[in-house]
């Protein structure tokens, strides 16, 4: 009789384990991976932009104090480009939405001045989309982020 109880408990445990969430498709796994990269890379980009803007502001002021108006104007031009890029970054950030079923592990990155743990910036939900459509959206977001990064790199050269 004891063996039947042990077997019953064991069978219930196996049944409970097997009733967990279904395994995610390769497309959904890749979408999650890309989304995590988006969060990390966008956080780094935004932090770099903010630091560079602060540095440029100080450099413009120092050039003005030193009487080097030509340098101040050149630095102000770069600062203006970065300001425009920051606006584009925030516009891009508003389009980033959470992948369905994704755990909220964003390592504290607040890459757009928003709490990016929810990704509900008014953008449509991905609920009801196919895994391949969700992956395509994440890939498009990554391509846009890479373009923003390239613009940033070019502007600070």
């Amino acid at each position: 009789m004891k063996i039947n109880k042990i077997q019953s408990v064991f069978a219930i445990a196996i049944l409970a384990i097997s009733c967990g969430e279904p395994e995610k498709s390769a497309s959904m796994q890749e979408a999650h991976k890309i989304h995590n990269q988006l969060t990390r890379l966008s956080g780094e980009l935004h932090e770099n932009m903010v630091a560079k803007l602060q540095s440029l502001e100080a450099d413009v002021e120092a050039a003005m104090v030193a009487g080097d108006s030509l340098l101040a104007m050149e630095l102000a031009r770069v600062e203006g480009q970065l300001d425009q890029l920051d606006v584009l970054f925030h516009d891009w950030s508003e389009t980033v939405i959470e992948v369905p079923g994704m755990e909220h592990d964003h390592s504290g990155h607040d890459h757009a001045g928003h709490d990016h743990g929810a990704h509900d910036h008014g953008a449509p939900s991905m609920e009801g989309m196919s895994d391949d459509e969700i992956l395509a959206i994440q890939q498009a977001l990554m391509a846009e982020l890479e373009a923003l990064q390239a613009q940033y790199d070019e502007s600070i050269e």
Side-chain angles (χ1 to χ4, degrees):
M1 189 73 168
K2 285 186 180 182
I3 292 177
N4 284 341
K5 285 184 181 180
I6 292 172
Q7 287 174 339
S8 296
V9 170
F10 184 68
I12 291 171
I14 289 176
L15 184 61
I17 291 170
S18 66
C19 289
E21 298 232 354
E23 192 167 319
K24 292 182 174 74
S25 71
S27 294
M28 190 59 84
Q29 289 175 5
E30 183 66 16
H32 284 239
K33 179 181 167 188
I34 291 171
H35 186 82
N36 283 332
Q37 289 174 333
L38 283 172
T39 302
R40 182 180 53 79
L41 294 173
S42 63
E44 291 170 5
L45 174 58
H46 193 249
E47 288 170 12
N48 290 339
M49 272 195 284
V50 168
K52 187 65 175 176
L53 281 166
Q54 290 171 346
S55 172
L56 280 168
E57 187 176 322
D59 292 346
V60 168
E61 189 174 316
M64 293 296 286
V65 167
D68 192 346
S69 59
L70 190 59
L71 177 60
M73 286 178 22
E74 179 60 24
L75 293 171
R77 182 190 63 77
V78 173
E79 185 179 18
Q81 288 175 339
L82 285 181
D83 278 336
Q84 289 175 350
L85 187 58
D86 190 52
V87 169
L88 292 174
F89 176 86
H90 284 275
D91 289 346
W92 170 85
S93 173
E94 294 294 321
T95 67
V96 178
I97 54 179
E98 191 72 50
V99 174
M102 185 163 181
E103 293 185 22
H104 299 282
D105 179 21
H106 297 291
S107 303
H109 282 296
D110 178 19
H111 66 75
H114 309 120
D115 175 9
H116 215 71
H119 296 286
D120 63 352
H121 303 289
S125 168
M126 289 191 198
E127 294 294 337
M129 291 184 179
S130 73
D131 292 357
D132 289 337
E133 290 171 326
I134 292 169
L135 175 58
I137 289 169
Q138 295 303 306
Q139 290 168 331
L141 287 167
M142 181 60 81
E144 291 174 19
L145 179 60
E146 289 169 346
L148 289 170
Q149 180 69 56
Q151 288 178 324
Y152 171 76
D153 292 343
E154 184 179 308
S155 71
I156 62 169
E157 289 181 343

